[in-house]
Structure formats: structure tokens, C-alpha cells
Amino acid sequence: MRKILYVIITLAVVMLGVFFVKENKKNVSLHTTNRKVDLKQFEYVNKDDNTNGIVRIYKNGKWGVADKDGNLIADVNYDTVDNFYEGRAIVSENGKYGFIDLDSNIIVKPKYMFAYPFVNGYAVIQDENEKYGAIDKQGNVVIEPLYYDYISSFDINGYAKAMNFADGKNVAIDINGEIIKDFNAKK
């Protein structure tokens, strides 16, 4: 009897498309078992202009992501889902921000106070101390959050402007966080 019950429960889980979570080094992948949704059931379906055929879906106050054929990419459990930039989208849960990719991977679990979209391979993030830093597309911190006020997006050369009014710095930094120009320096 136990064996039959186990088989029935296992089949029910597979048939309902419950997520199986697979952890690797940094990413958590949400793989579904042929999980399709009817896009007509959602209160709002918003085409993502930065990707071909990806839509953000909304129902009962939560957001998710699917392709235009209804294949679920990210379950409808986020408070917000931004458009995808460079294959990554900002998502939020309980006032914290993180990133997902187009393959259902959670690149960064929502943990930042704020996050900006990826530009030229990097995203600016704000930590719980309200300091800004940057991460790469794999979610690795490449610039520790040290700047109180602002870091602009990184340009194609890997440079960004950083302002830290708390200690009077207004500088340009490279992707390693090295100061390449001090705008306050006397000429």
C-alpha cells in the first residue's frame, strides 16, 4: 500500500509540474516538467521589448515570466519582474532585489536593497548598508559595495562614475574598483 501511495504522489507531483530545484555553485535552476500555462488566465501579459517572444505575466499581485507559447520560465511568485537586459531580469521579493536569466536560473536570490539592469556585462547593486557596488552576469561581486551615493552603469571600456558624498569623493572607477580619475583633485 505504501509503495502504491508513493507512486501516486510521485506521479501527481510530476503531472502538476512542480518545480524541481537543482543547486550548483551559485545558481539555483528552476526546471519544470513541461510546464505550460494559458496566457489568457493572467490579468496582465506584457511583452518584453528586449527579448524575442518573452512576456512578463501578472496574476493576483505577483509577476512571472513565460515565452509567447506559454512555456513558463519563472513562476508567478515575484513582487516585480523587470525587462530582460543582456539576458538578465531584475526580480524582487519582500522589498529585496535579485536577478534571473532566460533559462530559469536564479542568478542572484533577491537580497539587495536595489539593483540596476545589466549594462556592458555588469549591474550596479545597493547593499543593506545602502552602499553601491557592482556584480557580473554570474552574480559575482566585482566591486564591493563601498560607495554611498551612486555608481553609474559601466561603459563599453569598463569605466563608471562613482560618487561618495559621505567622504567627498567624486571619481571614475574601472571594473576592478580602481580609481582612474578623481574629479575633486586640484589641477
Side-chain angles (χ1 to χ4, degrees):
M1 183 66 173
R2 274 186 158 164
K3 206 176 222 184
I4 293 172
L5 186 57
Y6 177 77
V7 170
I8 291 171
I9 291 171
T10 302
L11 287 173
V13 167
V14 171
M15 290 173 66
L16 290 173
V18 172
F19 285 107
F20 293 97
V21 178
K22 176 182 85 176
E23 289 219 23
N24 54 29
K25 284 183 185 175
K26 279 201 162 240
N27 301 339
V28 176
S29 183
L30 301 177
H31 294 283
T32 63
T33 55
N34 296 325
R35 185 105 187 255
K36 274 187 117 41
V37 293
D38 180 5
L39 295 178
K40 294 176 187 168
Q41 73 172 311
F42 295 98
E43 298 166 34
Y44 188 69
V45 177
N46 182 9
K47 180 179 174 258
D48 185 333
D49 294 329
N50 298 317
T51 57
N52 187 16
I54 300 299
V55 293
R56 293 179 297 142
I57 49 181
Y58 178 83
K59 187 174 185 178
N60 298 327
K62 296 292 183 178
W63 289 91
V65 181
D67 68 17
K68 65 182 181 202
D69 298 322
N71 296 306
L72 199 60
I73 294 172
D75 205 4
V76 184
N77 62 358
Y78 292 105
D79 297 334
T80 61
V81 175
D82 197 6
N83 283 331
F84 282 85
Y85 294 89
E86 297 187 12
R88 308 286 188 262
I90 299 169
V91 295
S92 72
E93 289 180 315
N94 302 316
K96 303 285 184 171
Y97 296 85
F99 292 89
I100 61 171
D101 70 13
L102 290 166
D103 294 324
S104 306
N105 294 311
I106 298 171
I107 302 302
V108 176
K109 292 179 185 180
K111 66 179 183 178
Y112 293 114
M113 296 298 292
F114 200 76
Y116 292 90
F118 277 90
V119 176
N120 296 314
Y122 302 99
V124 175
I125 48 87
Q126 183 185 36
D127 72 3
E128 66 279 351
N129 296 317
E130 298 183 8
K131 292 183 181 181
Y132 292 91
I135 61 172
D136 65 16
K137 289 178 77 173
Q138 289 71 44
N140 302 310
V141 173
V142 292
I143 296 180
E144 291 296 325
L146 300 173
Y147 297 92
Y148 278 102
D149 294 305
Y150 175 79
I151 295 180
S152 67
S153 296
F154 286 86
D155 67 18
I156 58 173
N157 299 313
Y159 302 127
K161 186 173 181 182
M163 292 184 278
N164 194 354
F165 296 124
D167 63 8
K169 288 184 181 177
N170 184 0
V171 298
I173 58 175
D174 66 16
I175 197 56
N176 300 312
E178 300 294 323
I179 296 174
I180 56 171
K181 182 171 183 170
D182 184 346
F183 295 104
N184 296 333
K186 296 181 181 178
K187 294 180 180 185

